[in-house]
Each structure stands twice: as structure tokens, then as C-alpha cells.
Amino acid sequence: IKGQGSFVLSDKSSDAAGSVSDFIPFVLTENNSSARFWEAVRGAETYLRKHHQYLTVRYAQNTMHSEMEVVDSLLKDRMRSILVLSRCRTPGSALYYNRLISEGVNFVFVDNVYRGVLGDLVSSDNTLGGYMATRHLIQNGYKHPAFVTVQKNVYGSLEDRIIGYHIAMEEA
């Protein structure tokens, strides 16, 4: 089927229907097909749909360099509000994101914020969740609940859940 032409960004107000501001990019640098990963995408899409906006997903390889390339390409396309779910942390991460935030780019980090970044964060209280799950097992008679993970490097939400687990085990 032959198309009717190309989409070219106009100089019209960003509030016009179909404008670039109607599309919110979600940068994902996590190689993960877990339920948490898809729940983040589903939750963002559901919220945006209620506000007549659309989610567009951009994947980056699991490196900060790749993540920065994707963000930079979005900025070239005049995107100014970006969701980020990432596990990449480098010494330059905070400098990179703080510079963009100071230039007026809006970021919402999902489940993980870079240390020193002054951006918004959407996250669960994973320490409390790990504590409550372990405490529940202990209260139901389990004497030695274990925390099992297949990940070699523990950071972010998993690290917080393990802390909650240890707190509950120390109280028992």
C-alpha cells in the first residue's frame, strides 16, 4: 500500500493534535522480560492513554553509551519529556542527566535513579516489600526462609528487597 507522504514536524504549537508532545518516549536499557519490566510499560501506557498521549518505546543496549545515544536522538527529534528505566550507572551518568535537566528536559526515572540526579522517580518501597514478605513467612511458621536470585550483580530494587529480608531475619 502506497503511503500518502511523510510526517514532517511542523512549526505549529506543541499543543496541536498529533504533535510531538503527544508522544512520550520510554527509554529501556534493561535486557529483561520480567513481569516488573512489562508492568512498567503497561502502567506508563495506561496513564498516558487517559491523558490522550501515546507511549513510544526505545530500546538501548545495556550500556550508558547506548542509552545516551538514544536520549540524544530523542532530543534531536524535539522530545522534552522522557521516561527512563535503566540499570546503567557510570560516573558521568549524573552529570549527563543533570545537564539535560538544567536545559529544561523533563525526566521521570522508573525504579532507579542515578545517584546525584535531581530528576523525578517512580518506584516501590522495595525494602519494605522484602521485609513484609519475609515477615509473612516467619509469622506463618517458616523457620529459615531463603532469598534466592539468579542475578550475580545485585543492585537497585533487588538490593533493597534483600535489605528488607535481612531486617526481618534479624528481628526473628
Side-chain angles (χ1 to χ4, degrees):
I1 300 173
K2 186 174 189 241
Q4 298 296 315
S6 299
F7 173 78
V8 178
L9 187 62
S10 69
D11 291 323
K12 293 180 184 176
S13 166
S14 63
D15 292 71
S19 71
V20 72
S21 66
D22 291 339
F23 295 90
I24 305 297
F26 198 169
V27 177
L28 305 167
T29 59
E30 196 173 77
N31 274 339
N32 195 336
S33 59
S34 71
R36 184 189 68 78
F37 172 86
W38 291 111
E39 282 297 317
V41 171
R42 186 179 305 125
E45 194 276 332
T46 300
Y47 175 84
L48 291 171
R49 187 173 355 119
K50 290 177 183 175
H51 293 85
H52 308 288
Q53 294 180 312
Y54 306 94
L55 184 70
T56 179
V57 177
R58 293 289 307 267
Y59 292 97
Q61 295 175 3
N62 214 17
T63 67
M64 189 60 202
H65 176 74
S66 178
E67 182 176 316
M68 290 167 62
E69 284 180 340
V70 170
V71 170
D72 288 344
S73 73
L74 292 167
L75 295 174
K76 283 176 79 174
D77 290 338
R78 297 176 45 189
M79 298 289 181
R80 291 295 178 257
S81 297
I82 302 172
L83 300 167
V84 178
L85 186 138
S86 175
R87 291 288 178 241
C88 301
R89 291 184 186 177
T90 65
S93 301
L95 292 172
Y96 174 77
Y97 281 110
N98 280 333
R99 178 180 57 80
L100 294 176
I101 290 167
S102 72
E103 293 172 4
V105 181
N106 301 304
F107 287 99
V108 176
F109 297 94
V110 178
D111 195 40
N112 184 32
V113 71
Y114 300 94
R115 295 197 196 289
V117 173
L118 305 174
D120 293 321
L121 172 66
V122 175
S123 184
S124 300
D125 186 341
N126 290 298
T127 303
L128 179 61
Y131 172 84
M132 290 173 64
T134 306
R135 189 82 186 134
H136 174 77
L137 292 171
I138 293 167
Q139 288 174 343
N140 284 290
Y142 293 89
K143 305 260 186 250
H144 305 286
F147 194 107
V148 179
T149 179
V150 296
Q151 293 182 333
K152 293 179 185 177
N153 299 321
V154 178
Y155 48 82
S157 60
L158 184 58
E159 180 181 27
D160 293 341
R161 290 177 191 154
I162 290 172
I163 291 169
Y165 164 82
H166 285 295
I167 292 170
M169 291 301 289
E170 288 175 12
E171 286 181 358

